[in-house]
Amino acid sequence: MSRVYSIVALVLRLALAGIFLFAAYNKLRDPLSFSESIQAFRFPLPDWQVLLSTYAIPWTEIFCGVGLALGLWSRASAFVFILMMGVFLFGIISAIERHLPLDCGCFGKFKLYCEGPIGWCKVRENCLMMVASGVVLIGGGGRLALDGLFERNSGETPVT
Amino acid sequence: VKCFALQVAIIIGAGLVTGFGFTLTSKLPPKPTIVDRSKDGPPAHPPSPTGPTGVTGPTGATGTTGAIPDKPVAKAPAPSDVDKISLTAAKTLFDQHNAVFIDARAKKEYLESHIPGAMQLEKSDLDSQPPAKVLNYLPGMEIVVYCHGELCTDSEAVIRRLMALNKGIGPMHIIADGFPGWQKAGYPAESGPESGFQ
């Protein structure tokens, strides 16, 4: 595993972790708005599923974010990140196709890059994050991750 | 591969279990049950103003009772009811001056154009301490909330928060076609800042 990759992986992990933790914080800070954002997608979900999603999504983001920040279970965290992004992407594209003028509620009142109601900009934003997660999924957390430390201590050759 | 799958399952499982734990202690206000009466006739109106004595609307109207329309009327909603109403029904309520109209859209959009005398109230205004105008003007009043129309959920969000205040606000209505429908129907609109609510 090259030194350059380890630094790239560290930057990607920290960036993704920051985004996830920020998103989770804003969702948990105002769960009512997030539950309304989920309902605004108008999927035929029963109320209990909306309520469960309101809390389960941000908590999964927190576990993933912490995993990526520490470099612990980096690949698994990146994979879960990609799965979640896939679900979000499906919701966003479906909302665009149905012309729903809604806010994704991803970061509460804040916006990461795209302004206004969700559109193709949000799709690009999510795809970019999926690509970044894909790099961590394929290449691992790098030497500067707890995974790398454990691998070195256990005498295994880190996967490159 | 087994180890990877196990890690993925643990992360997702931990998220679901923690999320489930939070749902058990959740204190989110219940979602209002909304009856769609937008295909019915104008709502029957109580013979006397529903608002408290002395409450004066933003347009200066003191709650005069309008004529009950000749058309067949829908069942009068109970104060706890929330219903979606048609543009005609909304216009009837507007003409009767018995209800407070609430614009749930963004302030910028309100400034551009809104229903005359409407109160500008976004859902975010009700996330903490409600503004004084809500406590001064809405308890005991019939309200009509509107946003961008059928696909917009901001009216529902505002109503959900107003119901959670438990101040006896109601009956509550949502204009099914929203402000775009109101404009399209050629009903009156005005621009500029809110006036009359302090």
Side-chain angles (χ1 to χ4, degrees), chain A residues 33 36 39 42 60 73 99, chain B residues 7 15 26 31 150-151 161:
Chain A
S33 292
E36 285 166 350
Q39 283 162 350
R42 295 183 186 271
T60 309
W73 296 1
H99 306 288
Chain B
Q7 289 173 358
S26 168
K31 196 180 156 194
E150 199 189 335
L151 299 175
R161 286 160 175 78

Side-chain angles (χ1 to χ4, degrees), chain B residues 105-113 120 122:
Chain B
R105 300 173 304 154
K107 192 170 185 180
K108 189 183 158 199
E109 293 168 298
Y110 178 91
L111 291 173
E112 282 170 9
S113 189
Q120 199 269 325
E122 290 174 65

Side-chain angles (χ1 to χ4, degrees), chain B residues 19-90:
Chain B
F20 181 72
F22 271 77
T23 61
L24 297 178
T25 54
S26 168
K27 285 179 184 151
L28 294 187
K31 196 180 156 194
T33 308
I34 298 171
V35 182
D36 190 355
R37 294 193 176 100
S38 60
K39 306 286 184 287
D40 300 347
H45 211 272
S48 59
T50 53
T53 317
V55 169
T56 305
T59 52
T62 50
T64 51
T65 311
I68 296 176
D70 295 326
K71 293 177 198 170
V73 292
K75 177 183 155 283
S80 58
D81 247 1
V82 180
D83 58 357
K84 279 194 178 175
I85 57 172
S86 65
L87 285 169
T88 323

Side-chain angles (χ1 to χ4, degrees), chain B residues 71-137:
Chain B
K71 293 177 198 170
V73 292
K75 177 183 155 283
S80 58
D81 247 1
V82 180
D83 58 357
K84 279 194 178 175
I85 57 172
S86 65
L87 285 169
T88 323
K91 182 65 166 54
T92 305
L93 290 169
F94 176 79
D95 291 338
Q96 288 173 341
H97 297 295
N98 269 330
V100 176
F101 279 65
I102 296 177
D103 190 321
R105 300 173 304 154
K107 192 170 185 180
K108 189 183 158 199
E109 293 168 298
Y110 178 91
L111 291 173
E112 282 170 9
S113 189
H114 57 263
I115 294 178
M119 177 189 284
Q120 199 269 325
L121 191 66
E122 290 174 65
K123 61 178 181 180
S124 55
D125 295 332
L126 297 163
D127 282 339
S128 49
Q129 183 69 19
K133 62 185 179 185
V134 169
L135 302 176
N136 290 342
Y137 289 93

